[in-house]
Amino acid sequence: YYFPCQRWLAVEEDDGQIARELVPVDEAFVKKDSENDGQSPATLGLEQKAKSTTYTVKVKTGDKKNAGTDANVFIILYGSKDDTGIVSLKASKINKNKFERGKVDEFTVESVDIGDLKKIKIGHDNKGNSTGWFLEWVEIDAPSVGQCLKFPCGRWLDKSEDDGAVERIIFPAELQTIEYIPFVPYEITVYTSDIFGAGTDADVFIVLYGSDGICTQQKSLCLNKREQRMYFERNSVNQFIVELEDVGDIIEKIRIGHNGGGLNSGWHLDRVTIRRLLPNGK
């Protein structure tokens, strides 16, 4: 079995996760890799990512005295097919100091397809100075199935409060579920030109347009400033797997640009190729 990864397991890198689920790739990919037939390890890592589903997890800490926690918080997502296993919520995209009173924190959780989300378990390890935590709610957005689910809690996870439990199983509130058209993964390859000053450190974004006026949201290709500095260098090829709204079989045009930020924002773009990935990874 061959399990490529080619990704960070680090709080301050990529999506902030320090554990990843990996699935084996086809033997053909491994042979290609060993023969150097155009299948680099980085590409295998992208094949891996294309088989994964990304969830956006928002967590609201209650607005009560001592509601915040310094303990290590974890979550498990249970679906109709599988569960994610324990995922540490380490890197909040919104707040440096996470799980503070009255605040909402946002995390990225990546997993193989677990099917329709049925319930979650959330808790902490009770370590640190102030460990007790009042959890208001958890919201999970699952673009691949087109659902945003709300998991209301409104209870303490505290050894000395409520029933003394520091982890809880929570079910979604059906009336608060938002349904939308599922997203699909696109493989986006960006070629920066080979001329002086061609590279950029700016935040590069893309929008895809299908027929009948359908278009995706504007999506940044880099997850953080470090990636912005790494990618889009002169004469480079950068590949991304991005989950976006399904614009159909025909992409009529794209809009690509940047925010003008960074030290060297000017960018000479050679070309972009896009492949819509179907559920079987084709």
Side-chain angles (χ1 to χ4, degrees):
Y1 293 90
Y2 189 70
F3 296 87
C5 183
Q6 293 295 318
R7 298 188 55 196
W8 286 98
L9 284 78
V11 172
E12 67 283 355
E13 300 286 358
D14 202 337
D15 58 8
Q17 288 303 321
I18 54 172
R20 296 200 181 282
E21 284 191 346
L22 302 177
V23 291
V25 297
D26 295 342
E27 191 181 6
F29 286 133
V30 185
K31 283 183 176 168
K32 269 188 190 175
D33 189 35
S34 61
E35 293 163 10
N36 292 320
D37 190 17
Q39 194 78 22
S40 71
T43 311
L44 286 170
L46 283 169
E47 293 282 347
Q48 184 77 254
K49 188 171 180 180
K51 291 180 181 179
S52 299
T53 301
T54 304
Y55 300 92
T56 298
V57 177
K58 290 184 178 176
V59 180
K60 171 74 186 291
T61 300
D63 192 7
K64 290 176 178 280
K65 188 180 179 186
N66 300 324
T69 185
D70 296 329
N72 296 301
V73 174
F74 70 86
I75 193 169
I76 305 171
L77 279 52
Y78 295 90
S80 53
K81 298 180 188 172
D82 201 352
D83 66 70
T84 59
I86 293 174
V87 178
S88 297
L89 298 181
K90 289 278 189 188
S92 172
K93 289 185 167 182
I94 301 173
N95 306 304
K96 195 167 179 68
N97 199 1
K98 54 193 182 296
F99 309 122
E100 292 291 297
R101 174 178 173 173
K103 295 285 179 67
V104 176
D105 291 287
E106 184 179 313
F107 305 88
T108 300
V109 172
E110 208 173 88
S111 150
V112 294
D113 182 17
I114 61 171
D116 292 333
L117 202 50
K118 297 297 185 187
K119 64 181 180 180
I120 62 171
K121 181 190 276 188
I122 188 164
H124 60 76
D125 62 1
N126 206 43
K127 291 181 179 172
N129 292 327
S130 52
T131 57
W133 185 35
F134 190 89
L135 172 61
E136 197 72 60
W137 49 255
V138 177
E139 183 183 275
I140 299 180
D141 191 10
S144 64
V145 294
Q147 279 192 332
C148 185
L149 300 104
K150 196 75 163 275
F151 295 80
C153 180
R155 294 183 69 178
W156 286 97
L157 284 78
D158 190 339
K159 289 264 176 154
S160 56
E161 296 278 357
D162 203 334
D163 59 0
V166 294
E167 57 183 54
R168 299 199 180 279
I169 289 175
I170 316 173
F171 294 88
E174 285 185 27
L175 294 176
Q176 291 181 276
T177 298
I178 299 167
E179 307 260 352
Y180 56 92
I181 296 169
F183 283 24
V184 294
Y186 291 90
E187 179 190 272
I188 299 173
T189 310
V190 180
Y191 299 80
T192 299
S193 304
D194 185 16
I195 63 172
F196 180 75
T200 184
D201 292 335
D203 183 13
V204 173
F205 64 81
I206 195 164
V207 182
L208 313 187
Y209 294 83
S211 53
D212 302 324
I214 301 169
C215 72
T216 68
Q217 62 184 283
Q218 182 171 303
K219 180 79 171 179
S220 291
L221 294 176
C222 293
L223 291 165
N224 52 44
K225 283 190 163 54
R226 185 184 174 283
E227 288 192 359
Q228 290 171 27
R229 290 194 297 271
M230 270 176 54
Y231 298 143
F232 313 118
E233 296 292 300
R234 173 180 175 174
N235 195 29
S236 68
V237 180
N238 301 117
Q239 205 166 49
F240 306 88
I241 302 289
V242 181
E243 281 185 311
L244 289 167
E245 295 91 338
D246 189 352
V247 297
D249 293 335
I250 297 168
I251 299 175
E252 293 205 334
K253 64 177 181 178
I254 67 170
R255 183 167 176 263
I256 189 165
H258 61 73
N259 67 346
L263 288 173
N264 305 298
S265 62
W267 184 35
H268 199 286
L269 172 63
D270 185 62
R271 66 190 188 277
V272 179
T273 64
I274 298 177
R275 190 163 64 111
R276 179 169 170 254
L277 302 174
L278 300 174
N280 59 4
K282 293 286 187 282

